[in-house]
Amino acid sequence: MTAPEELLCRARTETRAQIAGLTAEYAAVVEASRGSNADDEHDPEGQTIGFERAQLASVLDQARTRLAELDAAVSRVADGSYGRCEVCGAPIGEARLQARPAARTCIQHA
């Protein structure tokens, strides 16, 4: 298994890059609609722009939440509780930690 620190560092780097990309994409959508006189309710393209903006905002929020979860996992590594289920105290399986480095619970309690 990759050391937890390396796994979390890689996941945090990937998530930060995703956040940067989504932030730029969101800004581009907002900027593109700024010069437009369209309103979402009456313009056929407006609903698409509004939907795209809402979808990007949601995905960006999810990425920020994931980064916070990864930061919390780094804290658990530091205090020695990483890799233990917060519910039952049993070890979290290696495969689960590989798939979800920020996992706080074992499969049974997920």
Side-chain angles (χ1 to χ4, degrees):
M1 177 174 131
T2 305
E5 296 88 353
E6 292 175 26
L7 188 63
L8 291 167
C9 182
R10 185 172 45 238
R12 290 171 76 216
T13 299
E14 291 168 1
T15 302
R16 281 194 200 112
Q18 181 186 26
I19 289 170
L22 288 167
T23 300
E25 192 173 346
Y26 183 85
V29 169
V30 169
E31 185 59 35
S33 65
R34 184 166 303 189
S36 171
N37 188 6
D39 69 40
D40 287 359
E41 186 177 338
H42 297 101
D43 180 38
E45 279 297 309
Q47 292 177 351
T48 303
I49 292 168
F51 174 77
E52 186 175 352
R53 193 172 43 233
Q55 187 177 30
L56 281 169
S58 177
V59 174
L60 183 55
D61 186 51
Q62 291 171 1
R64 288 178 176 146
T65 298
R66 185 170 44 256
L67 183 59
E69 290 170 353
L70 290 165
D71 289 343
V74 169
S75 294
R76 290 193 303 278
V77 169
D79 72 18
S81 64
Y82 182 80
R84 290 230 165 268
C85 178
E86 291 181 354
V87 176
C88 67
I92 298 172
E94 183 178 328
R96 178 159 169 74
L97 289 173
Q98 286 291 324
R100 292 191 49 126
R104 300 177 328 187
T105 59
C106 64
I107 289 287
Q108 181 179 353
H109 291 108

